[in-house]
Amino acid sequence: QLQLVESGGGLVQPGGSLRLSCSASGLTLNVFAVAWFRQAPGKEREGVSCISKSSGSTNYADSVKGRFTISRDTAKNTVYLQMNSLKPEDTAVYYCAADWSCIQTLKGGRYWGQGTQVTVSS
């Protein structure tokens, strides 16, 4: 069984940066595609980014393209989401999820973390 734990959230001013971590235990994260989602109060969950298990190819929602970068550290069994130029509309609970492919993960992955709050406010 794969367990995922997110960390790195917090309060940041507009224009600032945060790096979220999705740390795995139980299984190696390298055999899974991993996606980041976010959900703001009163809004539907949104897929933000995904990194594939094999080629390491990445994709991003239009709302974060050019500002967010997803990456993985195989030695640390961790996937990161570097978030730059943050905007108030990025405020949400951010979750990581994993499954066999980005298509499956973005539809609703098999494994989920508990989420970390990101608040962008002055």
Side-chain angles (χ1 to χ4, degrees):
Q1 191 78 354
L2 182 69
Q3 289 85 41
L4 302 175
V5 177
E6 302 94 337
S7 61
L11 173 64
V12 64
Q13 292 187 342
S17 298
L18 283 174
R19 188 178 77 161
L20 304 184
S21 299
C22 175
S23 299
S25 62
L27 295 171
T28 177
L29 202 53
N30 302 337
V31 300
F32 295 95
V34 179
W36 285 96
F37 293 82
R38 66 185 181 186
Q39 187 163 23
K43 294 190 176 181
E44 290 189 356
R45 186 177 65 196
E46 175 189 18
V48 173
S49 182
C50 191
I51 185 165
S52 69
K53 62 180 178 180
S54 52
S55 65
S57 62
T58 59
N59 57 64
Y60 299 91
D62 288 343
S63 56
V64 306
K65 204 170 291 184
R67 300 188 298 123
F68 290 10
T69 303
I70 191 171
S71 63
R72 65 165 84 227
D73 185 328
T74 56
K76 294 184 178 180
N77 216 23
T78 299
V79 168
Y80 301 102
L81 186 68
Q82 177 68 44
M83 306 187 296
N84 299 327
S85 303
L86 283 162
K87 305 175 182 180
E89 51 263 42
D90 294 317
T91 296
V93 178
Y94 284 71
Y95 302 88
C96 63
D99 210 317
W100 302 118
S101 70
C102 276
I103 291 176
Q104 290 174 282
T105 308
L106 290 171
K107 285 182 180 178
R110 179 177 307 188
Y111 304 103
W112 287 82
Q114 83 291 346
T116 185
Q117 176 71 47
V118 171
T119 303
V120 185
S121 175
S122 55

